[in-house]
Amino acid sequence: MLLEINKNEAERTLDVMVEGDIDVNSVRQLKKELEENIEAFQPDVIIDCSKLNYIDSTGLGTLVSVLKKVQKYDGKIRITALKPYLFKIFEVTGLAGLFEIEVAEA
């Protein structure tokens, strides 16, 4: 997984671009970098998933963990450009309602 994080201090957002897979092999990096930035910056988080190919249960768990940290600061996580087949994973697991999700057109 490639991860790019940009702070937008004017809008108080953390813009995150993920590429590849969020899985057991990559979640440690994702969680560490997001949590460090959230603690220091207390932003809303926008995760661009246009280049995300796969997410497993550890990836979902990490997003929920990060969401709890963001909510501690009255923030939210918006997931953008999520492919329809990945959105189904959020639906099946009951997580679709926890995040603001924008599904990419097929």
Side-chain angles (χ1 to χ4, degrees):
M1 173 197 66
L2 294 174
L3 179 65
E4 182 180 317
I5 297 177
N6 296 301
K7 294 179 186 174
N8 183 333
E9 295 191 30
E11 294 185 22
R12 209 184 120 244
T13 60
L14 195 63
D15 297 313
V16 180
M17 164 70 85
V18 291
E19 185 175 339
D21 301 338
I22 299 177
D23 59 16
V24 69
N25 298 313
S26 63
V27 293
R28 182 173 287 161
Q29 174 198 3
L30 177 67
K31 185 174 183 177
K32 178 180 181 285
E33 293 201 31
L34 286 179
E35 286 185 350
E36 285 175 0
N37 280 288
I38 291 164
E39 279 295 322
F41 190 50
Q42 301 178 5
D44 288 334
V45 178
I46 302 168
I47 303 174
D48 180 340
C49 293
S50 59
K51 296 181 180 180
L52 180 67
N53 297 321
Y54 175 76
I55 187 166
D56 69 6
S57 61
T58 57
L60 292 173
T62 298
L63 290 180
V64 170
S65 173
V66 170
L67 176 63
K68 289 179 183 178
K69 183 146 316 246
V70 168
Q71 289 175 332
K72 187 167 94 172
Y73 301 112
D74 296 321
K76 62 185 178 228
I77 294 181
R78 189 168 83 224
I79 298 172
T80 63
L82 189 65
K83 295 176 177 93
Y85 70 90
L86 294 173
F87 178 69
K88 288 183 192 240
I89 296 169
F90 282 81
E91 280 187 313
V92 167
T93 58
L95 298 177
L98 294 181
F99 301 93
E100 291 181 18
I101 299 176
E102 172 191 303
V103 180
E105 294 183 25

